[in-house]
Amino acid sequence: MNAIQIKNVSKQYKDVMALDDVSFSFEYGKIYGFLGRNGAGKSTLINIIANRIFADSGEILIDNDLAKENMNVHEKIFCMSEVDLYDTSLKIKDHFKWIEKFYNSFNKEKAFEIAEKFNLDTNKRFKALSKGYQSIFKLTVALAIDVPYVIFDEPVLGLDANHRELFYNLLLKDYEESENTIIIATHLIEEVANIIEEVVLIDKGKVLLQSNVDSLLEMGYSVSGPASEVDAYCIDKNVIGDDELGNLKIAYIIGKKTQLSKESHLSFANMNLQKLFVKLTEKGGN
Amino acid sequence: MNAIQIKNVSKQYKDVMALDDVSFSFEYGKIYGFLGRNGAGKSTLINIIANRIFADSGEILIDNDLAKENMNVHEKIFCMSEVDLYDTSLKIKDHFKWIEKFYNSFNKEKAFEIAEKFNLDTNKRFKALSKGYQSIFKLTVALAIDVPYVIFDEPVLGLDANHRELFYNLLLKDYEESENTIIIATHLIEEVANIIEEVVLIDKGKVLLQSNVDSLLEMGYSVSGPASEVDAYCIDKNVIGDDELGNLKIAYIIGKKTQLSKESHLSFANMNLQKLFVKLTEKGGN
């Protein structure tokens, strides 16, 4: 099976059960949104997959091989991480040289090209970069590595809107060309809603749901129009959130659409993935 | 004049002109979005207003008093910052005690209440917090200080969607009660579009525009419907961006709406503030 298979993985930190008997798979060739609240266990799982920390129990298989301390597997996967594992006093261009020595699949020329697109000054030392540009350096490395499984952990932290758009475009272009597996852990859910095909949502160390994005969005819908009409429509519905703009309102509803009268000024649209996420994980923070 | 008046402020770092003769005002009682790309000069100006660094030339007046090293002014303004100025080995609850000594307007009880809403563990040391919770600590302090001018610099960096929503709600509640001036510097423009009244956009160290949000959104509009119809409609329009979902499309257009035929399946809606920002600041990166 071409996939990252997570089998009964548990990990405890002192009194916190970070991962509690977690089992699911990231299948080869898809783009995943790996979602969850702060502290839900996302980064812990990513670090276990990346062999940076070890699970208390359970195992990870990559294309049916055990991932733990296995060099064959190491060549198939790359995890961009929030954690700074880089020598902060080294210049970016020198980082690229070192990464080329360690990763056969790293394309240094491509890295310099991507850096140029982001206006990343490769003569600067890592520690001289702003938070946004530290993220850009890390996602540049991840985009320049051609392996079957690439995991991005909060890739756009601190990036401005233009750079976020550039990143999503580069990612989709790579995906169309390579068909590698891309896994994006992010809190900016609405921004990736149009990019990802599958969602894995973890909450308090457990998988809360795994679903195709389209099926997930079919759980509900949004209705918009004059605020008073929207309110009247919503009276007997399961409303999970709303937004207002002047006297217009949009409400997000779980359930099936009902027929509108001919005189109605309301219109239906798709569910908002971020609103759905917020509702599903309410009181799930810590 | 009750306002933060920025008058001909310039600041140079080596060969970079971070702020180039910048003049504008944040008027009392409004909510501002202070927008700009990475490196545009936002944080430099915030740090000058906060007396953390000094301008090369120009001056800042707060309610007509010079801000530079003036204790009367210091009492009127608080800047939450991206930079970590806190003793990282101190526990959060002890930070609250110290801040109470330095700021008369800091409400310690309110800070503990807000911390509880965010599930911020006040017995933890600052350095033991995740990036998201470090932001939460800093915004908790800013929300618990009642001064006429509060500046938030990237308040939601690393926060999950639920916590971002909680922050926006607490901010609006405070604003309704106090009518203080709130200035939010953020890259998550679409999320604050419904909150802010005024926008100040700086680019390459200069003010690119200052506008009421409603007027700004009237610069353009969006059109949505079946992709082929949207494409046909857009042929002679100034399209600044689009999004697709299945065979549906939404396009963002600068200009005035034109009449639709009766048979049209298209519908108009408001401009997207983030799309507009991206277009206005293209090639504006560092």
Side-chain angles (χ1 to χ4, degrees):
Chain A
M1 187 183 185
N2 284 335
I4 301 177
Q5 291 172 269
I6 293 130
K7 290 190 167 176
N8 307 105
V9 168
S10 292
K11 177 77 184 179
Q12 192 164 356
Y13 293 115
K14 288 184 187 168
D15 52 344
V16 179
M17 203 68 187
L19 293 171
D20 186 3
D21 195 27
V22 167
S23 298
F24 68 95
S25 297
F26 291 115
E27 288 170 37
Y28 178 70
K30 291 185 175 176
I31 302 193
Y32 284 88
F34 184 32
L35 309 180
R37 299 203 51 189
N38 262 327
K42 294 192 307 295
S43 294
T44 300
L45 186 60
I46 290 172
N47 284 327
I48 292 172
I49 294 172
N51 263 308
R52 288 178 195 143
I53 59 174
F54 296 115
D56 298 334
S57 59
E59 56 190 30
I60 312 270
L61 299 174
I62 310 227
D63 299 349
N64 300 312
D65 289 328
L66 271 174
K68 197 172 167 182
E69 300 179 281
N70 180 338
M71 280 307 287
N72 289 337
V73 162
H74 181 73
E75 290 282 309
K76 287 187 180 177
I77 190 162
F78 185 80
C79 297
M80 171 199 168
S81 168
E82 215 186 308
V83 185
D84 300 327
L85 300 166
Y86 295 98
D87 176 349
T88 61
S89 61
L90 210 62
K91 287 180 181 175
I92 298 309
K93 63 180 181 185
D94 296 323
H95 275 296
F96 287 166
K97 279 183 204 159
W98 278 103
I99 293 163
E100 193 184 27
K101 288 191 206 296
F102 284 106
Y103 290 90
N104 291 330
S105 55
F106 180 70
N107 182 335
K108 197 175 66 177
E109 287 67 40
K110 187 175 174 187
F112 276 106
E113 278 169 31
I114 295 169
E116 203 179 328
K117 288 195 170 89
F118 282 102
N119 290 308
L120 168 62
D121 182 351
T122 56
N123 284 310
K124 277 198 174 173
R125 296 173 203 281
F126 182 85
K127 65 181 171 192
L129 300 178
S130 68
K131 266 187 194 173
Y133 270 103
Q134 290 183 0
S135 293
I136 285 171
F137 162 64
K138 289 190 277 185
L139 65 83
T140 296
V141 173
L143 287 169
I145 282 180
D146 181 21
V147 290
Y149 302 97
V150 185
I151 305 181
F152 293 90
D153 194 0
E154 291 296 339
V156 297
L157 195 75
L159 265 64
D160 64 37
N162 308 52
H163 282 154
R164 296 202 303 278
E165 219 171 71
L166 176 58
F167 168 69
Y168 299 132
N169 288 338
L170 291 172
L171 192 72
L172 281 178
K173 192 166 152 277
D174 271 9
Y175 177 68
E176 280 165 17
E177 286 166 8
S178 72
E179 296 204 336
N180 290 331
T181 307
I182 294 171
I183 299 160
I184 311 169
T186 183
H187 291 311
L188 301 189
I189 298 168
E190 209 37 41
E191 288 201 348
V192 297
N194 288 343
I195 294 175
I196 58 180
E197 301 170 82
E198 299 278 326
V199 165
V200 176
L201 170 56
I202 66 169
D203 197 39
K204 297 176 192 160
K206 287 176 177 291
V207 177
L208 193 66
L209 71 83
Q210 174 162 27
S211 167
N212 177 277
V213 173
D214 292 339
S215 319
L216 192 58
L217 292 177
E218 280 167 15
M219 284 176 64
Y221 62 101
S222 68
V223 60
S224 60
S228 55
E229 267 191 63
V230 170
D231 288 339
Y233 176 85
C234 289
I235 280 179
D236 56 351
K237 308 292 188 301
N238 181 11
V239 178
I240 62 168
D242 58 58
D243 289 312
E244 287 188 71
L245 195 70
N247 59 347
L248 293 173
K249 190 167 184 173
I250 180 165
Y252 305 97
I253 297 168
I254 299 280
K256 293 278 167 213
K257 289 171 198 167
T258 56
Q259 193 77 36
L260 292 175
S261 71
K262 275 199 169 176
E263 299 77 42
S264 174
H265 301 96
L266 299 177
S267 58
F268 292 135
N270 282 60
M271 191 64 190
N272 174 302
L273 190 62
Q274 184 159 303
K275 293 278 171 195
L276 188 60
F277 167 91
V278 168
K279 189 66 186 177
L280 291 171
T281 59
E282 257 179 4
K283 300 184 182 85
N286 188 10
Chain B
M1 187 183 184
N2 284 334
I4 300 177
Q5 290 172 270
I6 293 129
K7 290 190 168 177
N8 307 105
V9 168
S10 291
K11 177 79 184 177
Q12 191 164 357
Y13 294 114
K14 287 183 187 168
D15 53 344
V16 179
M17 202 67 187
L19 294 171
D20 186 3
D21 195 27
V22 167
S23 298
F24 69 94
S25 297
F26 291 115
E27 287 170 37
Y28 178 69
K30 293 185 175 175
I31 302 193
Y32 284 88
F34 185 33
L35 309 180
R37 298 205 51 189
N38 263 327
K42 294 191 307 294
S43 294
T44 300
L45 186 58
I46 290 172
N47 284 326
I48 292 171
I49 294 172
N51 264 307
R52 289 179 195 142
I53 59 173
F54 296 115
D56 298 335
S57 58
E59 56 190 30
I60 312 272
L61 300 173
I62 308 225
D63 298 348
N64 299 312
D65 290 328
L66 272 176
K68 197 172 168 183
E69 299 179 282
N70 180 338
M71 280 308 285
N72 288 337
V73 162
H74 181 72
E75 291 281 308
K76 288 188 181 178
I77 191 163
F78 185 80
C79 297
M80 171 198 168
S81 167
E82 215 186 310
V83 185
D84 301 327
L85 300 167
Y86 296 98
D87 176 348
T88 61
S89 61
L90 211 59
K91 287 181 181 174
I92 298 310
K93 62 180 181 184
D94 296 322
H95 275 297
F96 287 167
K97 279 183 204 160
W98 277 104
I99 293 164
E100 192 184 26
K101 288 190 206 296
F102 283 106
Y103 289 90
N104 291 329
S105 56
F106 179 70
N107 182 334
K108 197 175 65 177
E109 287 68 40
K110 187 175 174 187
F112 277 106
E113 279 168 30
I114 294 169
E116 204 180 328
K117 287 196 171 88
F118 281 103
N119 291 308
L120 168 62
D121 182 351
T122 55
N123 284 310
K124 276 198 175 173
R125 296 173 202 283
F126 182 85
K127 65 181 169 192
L129 300 177
S130 68
K131 266 186 194 172
Y133 270 104
Q134 290 183 359
S135 293
I136 285 171
F137 163 64
K138 290 189 276 185
L139 65 84
T140 296
V141 173
L143 286 170
I145 281 179
D146 181 21
V147 290
Y149 302 97
V150 185
I151 304 180
F152 293 89
D153 194 0
E154 292 295 339
V156 298
L157 195 75
L159 266 63
D160 62 38
N162 307 52
H163 282 155
R164 297 202 301 278
E165 220 171 70
L166 176 58
F167 167 69
Y168 299 132
N169 288 337
L170 291 173
L171 192 71
L172 281 179
K173 194 166 151 278
D174 271 8
Y175 178 66
E176 281 165 17
E177 286 167 8
S178 71
E179 296 204 336
N180 290 330
T181 307
I182 294 171
I183 300 160
I184 311 170
T186 183
H187 290 311
L188 301 190
I189 298 167
E190 208 38 41
E191 289 201 347
V192 297
N194 288 342
I195 295 175
I196 57 180
E197 299 170 84
E198 299 279 326
V199 166
V200 176
L201 170 56
I202 66 170
D203 198 39
K204 297 176 193 162
K206 287 176 179 289
V207 177
L208 195 64
L209 70 84
Q210 174 162 26
S211 167
N212 177 275
V213 173
D214 293 339
S215 319
L216 192 58
L217 292 178
E218 279 166 15
M219 284 175 65
Y221 62 101
S222 67
V223 61
S224 60
S228 55
E229 268 191 62
V230 170
D231 288 340
Y233 175 85
C234 289
I235 281 179
D236 57 351
K237 308 292 187 300
N238 180 11
V239 178
I240 62 168
D242 57 57
D243 290 311
E244 287 188 72
L245 194 70
N247 58 348
L248 294 173
K249 190 166 183 173
I250 181 165
Y252 306 96
I253 297 168
I254 298 279
K256 293 278 165 213
K257 289 172 196 167
T258 55
Q259 193 76 38
L260 291 176
S261 72
K262 276 200 168 175
E263 299 78 43
S264 174
H265 301 96
L266 300 177
S267 59
F268 291 136
N270 282 62
M271 191 64 189
N272 175 302
L273 190 62
Q274 185 159 302
K275 293 278 171 195
L276 188 59
F277 167 90
V278 168
K279 190 66 186 177
L280 291 171
T281 59
E282 257 179 3
K283 302 184 183 85
N286 181 22

